[in-house]
Amino acid sequence: MPPRRQFDRRRALGVLAVVCLGGPFLRRTGAQATGATIHFYSPETNINNFGALKSEFDGFFASAGGHKFQPYSDRAAFEKALAGNAGLFLLSSWHYPQLAAKAAWQPRLIGQLREKSTQRHVLCAKQAVANVAALKGARVVSAGNTAFTLSLLADLLGPSQRTLITEQNILPVPKDMDALMTVDLGAAQAAVTTESGLDKLAKINPKQHQALVQLAKGPERLLPIIIAPTQPDAATQALLKVLTDMGRDAEGQQRLRLLGLDAFAPITDAQRNQLRK
Amino acid sequence: MNPLFHKWRPRSRPPGGSGGAALTPALVFLAATVFLAFAAVPRTAKVLVINSDASVAKYGEVQDAFRETIGADAMTQLDLSKAGESGLKRALAADQAGVIYCIGGNAYQMVAKLAKGRPIVLSTAINWQRFKTDPRTTRVIANELPAVVQLTLFRHFFPKLQRVGTVYNPAINKQWFEQAVQAGKEVGVEVIGRTVTRSSQVGAALAELTSHVDALWLTPDPVVLENEAAAQRYFTQADAARKPVFTYSSAFTGLGAALVLAPDMPTIGRQAAGLVQDHASAQAVSTPAGSEVTLNLKRVQQYGLDYNREALDSVNTIIR
């Protein structure tokens, strides 16, 4: 019996040492191991800021559960990741209805910008362009990729004139400001941008803004959404909570600004219905 | 512009324009056939892409975006740094039709010498004006963001910016400076300049300028940036005066540039693809349609600058 007691004492001391010295380390690695990943792909912007997004979000998540941010430049790779049926996916509200596997995913959060969850797109051209018909075959710049821009143009031009501008006419550029300034400088005849992009130009460079005419305004479209598996695991639920709270935290909001958002909010039933259309 | 197309078109219209009605239907048909034959050349033939040096990352980015836009089957490519002049001669001989796309100044210089009169698109060439390109045959995408674009983006990131200072050599950049002053008026930023004719004058010019401005604007002026040591001195002096430096190349981020605005390389590749397709009707010189932004938040915070957080969605790279 004495030897056994001695052994127990030694073992107890060992356990105590691990708890005191190694505990924080174990907690940290445990958190990292259980952190979830949010995957991101957007056809609405051509800006290559993936390195900044990855480091900024991962840096923020490091002290908030050890979650990870994974951006994609390729739509197919993003959709392939959906098949893993784990984590969260941040994507355009235009993209979501096109997902083949969307039944297994539930929209949970929606992006917010200045307390709004929608945005409009506009078609602008130089003042000399009298109407939409004059844009036949014209070079059109857009911060969205070609497929997204053609979809916007279908709304902006209407059924009778949607064929005026084809895939060959689209010039994707990184951001709205680039698109709007390109038209003024003559490298394109028209631009598809967000209404807020046009408002920004009006504030910064009124002369360039006045040189443009707004030919068409599209409908309100939902901002990007976050979807989750129908039954998310604990780590995914924890990440959803972190993302929901990010807009209330100065550091969190700074990261969301990289995505052109300032918060995420729970998605409403009305918005879910809109996504089904 | 395709030179054949360019030459043919005026001949179809007799002087004075009064003889058009005399053309018989057969002649009209013949003319239309010839027109279509020439007009179709750049669209159907493969584009010959001459890359000055494919191992240069930014040239590679441009070429990748060009290929993605136009399709790999629509182009043949040559790395001039490996193929040399003899390789280029063989490629030109094998590919008599279509547009030649030159990436970088070396490619253009050799193509201009060996393929006179051929339709060319040129991009990604530093100081491309020195080549004196022929506007009848050559379409250029400039390698610099126009002053008005840079100033608009300065204001986008720093809404409180009122005065920006630049040191320049008037023999090279007088016209650029005058345009910058005008562009500054559009966005409510006063552009203040100090001229230098020798690199040794830059230090004194900066010392005088820094007390009058909120930020310094470093442009690709060969006198101001005579060598690496000159660049180092520029940034050291700006830092001592706690003035942020806005500039044109991410090569300066290591020296402490607060904001870098450079042309976006993939956009240039996509623009080039458009110019190949519309070669005949395109303007001789286009500006880069996209910008790449690097924001040094470390330096911004160090100087206590107010920046527009909503502009962060326009940033490619953040330095902390």
Side-chain angles (χ1 to χ4, degrees), chain A residues 238-260:
Chain A
L239 178 53
L240 273 169
K241 174 82 170 72
V242 170
L243 290 162
T244 308
D245 294 342
M246 267 182 95
R248 291 191 282 273
D249 176 284
E251 286 292 308
Q253 196 178 73
Q254 193 180 47
R255 270 66 179 188
L256 293 176
R257 296 283 190 200
L258 293 169
L259 298 167

Side-chain angles (χ1 to χ4, degrees), chain B residues 279-304:
Chain B
H279 194 273
S281 57
Q283 56 191 23
V285 181
S286 305
T287 56
S291 56
E292 184 184 337
V293 180
T294 301
L295 181 65
N296 188 338
L297 275 183
K298 188 177 168 185
R299 194 49 59 110
V300 166
Q301 283 158 357
Q302 188 185 337
Y303 294 163

Side-chain angles (χ1 to χ4, degrees), chain A residues 90-162:
Chain A
L90 170 57
L91 73 169
S92 164
S93 60
W94 171 80
H95 185 177
Y96 173 72
Q98 301 166 35
L99 290 177
K102 65 177 177 291
W105 295 87
Q106 293 299 312
R108 297 292 298 266
L109 301 176
I110 185 163
Q112 303 269 296
L113 183 60
R114 291 185 218 107
E115 298 180 346
K116 273 190 75 181
S117 54
T118 58
Q119 64 180 351
R120 279 174 183 268
H121 286 81
V122 293
L123 175 65
C124 300
K126 278 204 149 188
Q127 287 284 358
V129 177
N131 52 43
V132 166
L135 290 178
K136 185 173 173 55
R139 179 77 53 209
V140 177
V141 276
S142 166
N145 72 13
T146 303
F148 180 65
T149 305
L150 286 170
S151 166
L152 291 176
L153 281 167
D155 283 342
L156 289 162
L157 298 173
S160 61
Q161 292 180 301
R162 63 188 299 175

Side-chain angles (χ1 to χ4, degrees), chain B residues 220-255:
Chain B
D221 188 298
V223 171
V224 177
L225 292 169
E226 191 181 50
N227 51 40
E228 207 175 321
Q232 181 74 58
R233 283 196 300 275
Y234 186 104
F235 278 92
T236 302
Q237 204 169 337
D239 187 37
R242 294 178 61 80
K243 297 295 175 188
V245 178
F246 303 159
T247 189
Y248 64 93
S249 169
S250 54
F252 297 116
T253 51
L255 293 177

Side-chain angles (χ1 to χ4, degrees), chain A residues 181 184-185 205 208, chain B residues 146-153 183 186-187 217:
Chain A
M181 289 192 282
D184 186 52
L185 294 166
N205 193 329
Q208 280 199 337
Chain B
V148 67
V149 170
Q150 295 189 59
L151 284 157
T152 303
L153 290 171
E186 282 185 27
V187 298
W217 186 3

Side-chain angles (χ1 to χ4, degrees), chain B residues 34-272:
Chain B
V34 174
F35 175 91
L36 287 172
F38 286 139
V41 166
R43 288 182 182 275
T44 54
K46 282 195 174 188
V47 182
L48 180 57
V49 179
I50 312 296
N51 191 327
S52 295
D53 184 348
S55 69
V56 174
K58 65 178 182 177
Y59 291 168
E61 280 182 68
V62 169
Q63 186 168 323
D64 288 349
F66 180 84
R67 185 176 52 242
E68 278 171 28
T69 308
I70 208 156
D73 294 341
M75 61 182 265
T76 52
Q77 58 195 38
L78 183 85
D79 181 352
L80 186 62
S81 70
K82 290 191 176 128
E85 187 171 339
S86 57
L88 177 59
K89 277 180 181 167
R90 281 196 298 278
L92 290 169
D95 178 63
Q96 275 301 325
V99 180
I100 303 169
Y101 174 33
C102 301
I103 302 175
N106 288 348
Y108 175 77
Q109 278 180 299
M110 207 167 277
V111 167
K113 186 176 80 175
L114 298 175
K116 282 195 170 61
R118 299 269 301 265
I120 295 172
V121 172
L122 165 64
S123 80
T124 337
I126 295 167
N127 193 13
W128 60 270
Q129 293 92 335
R130 69 195 148 115
F131 299 132
K132 301 196 178 358
T133 54
D134 182 348
R136 291 171 302 176
T137 58
T138 307
R139 303 287 169 264
V140 181
I141 303 169
N143 203 41
E144 302 83 25
L145 294 171
V148 67
V149 170
Q150 295 189 59
L151 284 157
T152 303
L153 290 171
F154 291 169
R155 274 301 298 267
H156 184 38
F157 282 94
F158 299 101
K160 291 183 178 170
L161 180 74
Q162 290 187 318
R163 284 173 295 274
V164 64
T166 187
V167 180
Y168 67 99
N169 177 5
I172 302 164
N173 282 320
K174 182 170 182 282
Q175 194 185 359
W176 171 85
F177 177 73
E178 287 167 356
Q179 286 170 350
V181 170
Q182 285 307 312
K185 287 176 184 166
E186 282 185 27
V187 298
V189 175
E190 186 182 358
V191 181
I192 301 172
R194 293 290 180 268
T195 59
V196 292
T197 52
R198 292 191 307 277
S199 184
S200 59
Q201 298 169 332
V202 173
L206 273 180
E208 201 280 317
L209 187 60
T210 47
S211 59
H212 301 289
V213 298
D214 305 315
L216 292 166
W217 186 3
L218 177 62
T219 63
D221 188 298
V223 171
V224 177
L225 292 169
E226 191 181 50
N227 51 40
E228 207 175 321
Q232 181 74 58
R233 283 196 300 275
Y234 186 104
F235 278 92
T236 302
Q237 204 169 337
D239 187 37
R242 294 178 61 80
K243 297 295 175 188
V245 178
F246 303 159
T247 189
Y248 64 93
S249 169
S250 54
F252 297 116
T253 51
L255 293 177
L259 181 68
V260 177
L261 304 177
D264 181 64
M265 292 300 142
T267 304
I268 285 180
R270 292 191 283 263
Q271 272 183 279

